Amino acid sequence: VYSVLGGNGQLLSSAFQQANATHFRGCNKTIRHIESAVASVILSGDGIELITDKGDTEHFDIVVLAAPLQQSQIHWSETPPDQLPSSTQRRYTQTITTIVSNGTLQSKYFHISNTSLPKAVSLTEKGKKEDAFSCFAELTDDGTFKVFSSESLTDNLLEKLFG
């Protein structure tokens, strides 16, 4: 289980800054972040047009869409489905992150002794179905844990896991 100090949202921001800093030194190109939601993408011979949910149209040479395309509801004009990445055809998986503070991992839940408690646990598909979470990791020594699951965790389960 990994985390970014200040939040995983900084990954895209960092990539954007690095692209500006390294890829366009000495050239007239600019990299821009569009704040509006993209409603349509139109491929043309000289680039790509984006139409926003506000109806604005902008032209670009290159576009990077940082979104799960399966849920984006973007209309792809003049784009055969085989030109889109295969990842756009996969089912999107939602992951819920629960942060637990002042928790004490309960050895009873795992049927092990207090001296054998793990710092992190990742479950198999079968384990995820039985335990309702996919993994957890101890983030700090003061009882802060990060738990990943596909559904919100119940208070009952959190009590069993962390006291």
Side-chain angles (χ1 to χ4, degrees):
V1 178
Y2 297 95
S3 63
V4 175
L5 187 61
N8 289 345
Q10 294 181 91
L11 288 173
L12 185 58
S13 178
S14 175
F16 189 77
Q17 290 170 354
Q18 289 177 43
N20 264 331
T22 60
H23 296 291
F24 291 109
R25 261 188 221 129
C27 105
N28 262 342
K29 300 289 183 181
T30 58
I31 296 177
R32 293 188 312 134
H33 176 228
I34 303 300
E35 297 289 334
S36 300
V38 174
S40 296
V41 176
I42 301 170
L43 297 180
S44 63
D46 63 340
I48 302 165
E49 286 187 5
L50 296 184
I51 302 172
T52 69
D53 60 345
K54 297 175 183 170
D56 299 327
T57 302
E58 295 197 51
H59 185 83
F60 298 93
D61 296 322
I62 297 170
V63 172
V64 175
L65 295 170
L69 294 179
Q70 303 90 326
Q71 293 183 309
S72 67
Q73 298 179 351
I74 293 173
H75 175 69
W76 296 84
S77 297
E78 304 169 32
T79 307
D82 62 341
Q83 288 185 355
L84 295 175
S86 63
S87 61
T88 63
Q89 305 304 315
R90 287 188 225 136
R91 190 175 76 78
Y92 182 75
T93 302
Q94 173 180 287
T95 300
I96 296 172
T97 304
T98 303
I99 303 295
V100 176
S101 60
N102 298 320
T104 303
L105 193 59
Q106 301 298 300
S107 59
K108 182 177 167 183
Y109 184 84
F110 295 100
H111 308 286
I112 57 177
S113 71
N114 277 338
T115 58
S116 302
L117 288 173
K119 295 283 186 189
V121 169
S122 293
L123 300 178
T124 62
E125 286 299 319
K126 181 181 175 186
K128 288 179 201 178
K129 290 177 185 169
E130 291 176 11
D131 289 309
F133 65 92
S134 55
C135 64
F136 76 82
E138 185 174 2
L139 298 177
T140 63
D141 290 334
D142 67 354
T144 302
F145 294 86
K146 181 188 279 190
V147 185
F148 292 143
S149 59
S150 57
E151 303 287 333
S152 294
L153 300 178
T154 64
D155 290 342
N156 186 39
L157 178 59
L158 290 169
E159 182 71 27
K160 287 178 182 178
L161 279 169
F162 302 106

